[in-house]
Amino acid sequence: MGEQAASHPKKATNRPAVTQSRNAGAKPVKAAKAMKVAKATKVPTGAEGATGVNASKVAKAAKPESHLAMVRRARRINRELAELYPYAHPELDFRNPFELLVATVLSAQTTDLRVNQTTPAVFAAYPTPEDMAAAVPEELEEIVRPTGFFRAKARSLIGLSAAIRDNFGGEVPGRLPDLVTLPGVGRKTANVVLGNAFGVPGITVDTHFGRLVRRWKWTEQEDPEKVEAEVGAIFPKSEWTMLSHRVIFHGRRICHARKPACGACPIAPLCPAYGEGETDPEKARKLLKYEMGGQPGQRLNPPADYPGKPAPGPGGG
């Protein structure tokens, strides 16, 4: 989730409440319903047979799709994803804005699981921006080494912590223009922190999000800021943060980069790229990951409504 291995940092006073599992206003989902939804694959049957969907209706439209039709299809995909992932959430463990900021910086070029296995030791040693700003670089580097690019990440963390201490009174700022002034913090990291620690809507354009929205023909842009602008224009601002979680969840669980599980995808009838991956339902189910495939998620401490298993700790247990 974090920017390229760059730099990034807090204290605690008068800070907005942290929202870890969803934006304010989202309705809680009963665990039983969430488990039922997580296990569902909604693979079409009958006349459409083993391919799971009538590809001629999906990928070979008689005429180009209008912008209005695309917007309607995009919003329907969002509604379908909301049903499939009612428990969608940021997959980094955190308890406050500073922890989320640090975890997001560490997530560059590595998995959220690896970050979650590393941050307990980081926050035990450096619980506040003041503590991290005063860190001995070599000691911080050793702790964050498992996440890769540890020297650059340690510099970023010390730099952003010092900036928070010196420029923002020890508090992580809650405005995008302020966040992006911190060393190593770009729009992607800023939107993660704003959306999940401050309840400020934002679109997180990571590799999964960019790949899927282009696959779905919501945009043809490659530049993250242009992707953010074009996709943001399709949806109400109130949807931006949860949309990001749902799309990223889908990209990690079903719509993989190299071999998407098309035959097990509930939104296959809405997807212009149907058929790029495995279309046989049984083979496609074997490609499902995390809770959709009956496996642990990435968080050691997931939200209460998460239907999968917690991730293993640093020792693998």
Side-chain angles (χ1 to χ4, degrees), residues 117-174:
Q117 292 172 333
T118 303
T119 49
V122 175
F123 300 137
Y126 312 104
T128 69
E130 291 86 349
D131 295 320
M132 191 167 285
V136 176
E138 292 76 15
E139 294 178 0
L140 179 55
E141 288 172 7
E142 193 57 34
I143 298 176
V144 303
R145 180 186 289 268
T147 68
F149 301 96
F150 57 93
R151 290 190 181 89
K153 289 179 179 179
R155 283 196 302 272
S156 295
L157 294 179
I158 291 172
L160 72 85
S161 295
I164 291 174
R165 177 197 64 195
D166 298 340
N167 302 332
F168 299 101
E171 293 289 339
V172 175

Side-chain angles (χ1 to χ4, degrees), residues 35-103:
M35 181 64 77
K36 180 179 179 181
V37 174
K39 291 181 179 179
T41 54
K42 301 183 183 177
V43 179
T45 56
E48 291 164 359
T51 61
V53 67
N54 189 330
S56 64
K57 292 183 179 179
V58 175
K60 298 180 179 179
K63 49 187 176 182
E65 183 179 46
S66 69
H67 179 75
L68 178 59
M70 180 277 290
V71 169
R72 288 174 174 168
R73 179 172 56 82
R75 292 183 176 183
R76 184 176 172 191
I77 286 175
N78 183 41
R79 292 194 296 272
E80 293 284 337
L81 293 179
E83 290 187 15
L84 185 63
Y85 307 112
Y87 49 84
H89 58 271
E91 294 191 87
L92 292 168
D93 287 326
F94 70 100
R95 295 169 296 185
N96 54 56
F98 179 60
E99 290 190 356
L100 179 58
L101 179 59
V102 169

